[in-house]
Amino acid sequence: MVSILVLHGPNLNLLGKREPGIYGAVTLEEINSRLEQEADSIQAKVLCVQSNHEGTLVDRIHAAWQVHDGLLINAGAYTHTSVALRDAIAGIQMPTVEVHLSNIYRREEFRHHSYIAPVAIGQISGFGADSYVLGLQALVRHLRSVASS
Ligand code: DQA
């Protein structure tokens, strides 16, 4: 069964209370349970982890090597700052989809650049919690198409 590591970066533990005008009312727990349901329905597995610490996220990415088949990541603010996360993903060469709840290109200029995008298969941004579900579907489809080619 395809196994996906879902990483949530800093401040995403505050979803539900955090800037609801931008991020909506959905909590991280609700997002994780939606991902688990979707994974079940497409015969995949997800492990969901959140951390506010860049080094912990780097360690989690390293530990995913040969354990998971793909990475679904919302790196939060580290998207725009972290060469370390980018290098970790490049280092383990794991197929990665980047997701964001908000449309980062409609927001402040500093959110328009992603260090993750060049090492990801693709990015889904702006669909709220659906970004994660769409990202999971796209990642699993990608992994299956690569496996069958
Ligand atoms: C975010 C967008 C980032 O710019 C921000 O720092 C976040 C959340 C999103 O999901 O829309 O923490 O990644």
Side-chain angles (χ1 to χ4, degrees), residues 10 12 18 23 74 76-77 80 100-102 104 107 111:
L12 293 167
R18 175 190 186 200
Y23 298 115
N74 182 351
H80 319 297
H100 299 283
L101 295 142
S102 62
I104 56 175
R107 300 183 62 195
R111 296 186 204 275

Side-chain angles (χ1 to χ4, degrees), residues 35 72 97 99 124 127 129-139:
L35 285 171
L72 184 70
V97 170
V99 298
I124 298 178
F127 296 95
D130 287 346
S131 292
Y132 283 92
V133 177
L134 293 166
L136 177 64
Q137 291 168 347
L139 180 54

Side-chain angles (χ1 to χ4, degrees), residues 6-15 18-19 22-23 28 49-54 57 61 72-83 85-86 89 97-105 107-108 110-117 123-125 132:
V6 179
L7 280 186
H8 305 283
N11 301 308
L12 293 167
N13 54 311
L14 296 179
L15 286 177
R18 175 190 186 200
E19 301 184 83
I22 295 172
Y23 298 115
L28 194 61
V49 175
Q50 189 273 333
S51 176
N52 294 320
H53 304 279
E54 188 175 14
L57 293 164
I61 292 168
L72 184 70
I73 184 166
N74 182 351
Y78 291 145
T79 304
H80 319 297
T81 63
S82 182
V83 177
L85 280 180
R86 180 234 174 264
I89 294 166
V97 170
E98 173 185 1
V99 298
H100 299 283
L101 295 142
S102 62
N103 179 350
I104 56 175
Y105 304 100
R107 300 183 62 195
E108 302 93 326
F110 66 84
R111 296 186 204 275
H112 296 182
H113 177 261
S114 167
Y115 280 101
I116 311 292
Q123 183 195 69
I124 298 178
S125 173
Y132 283 92

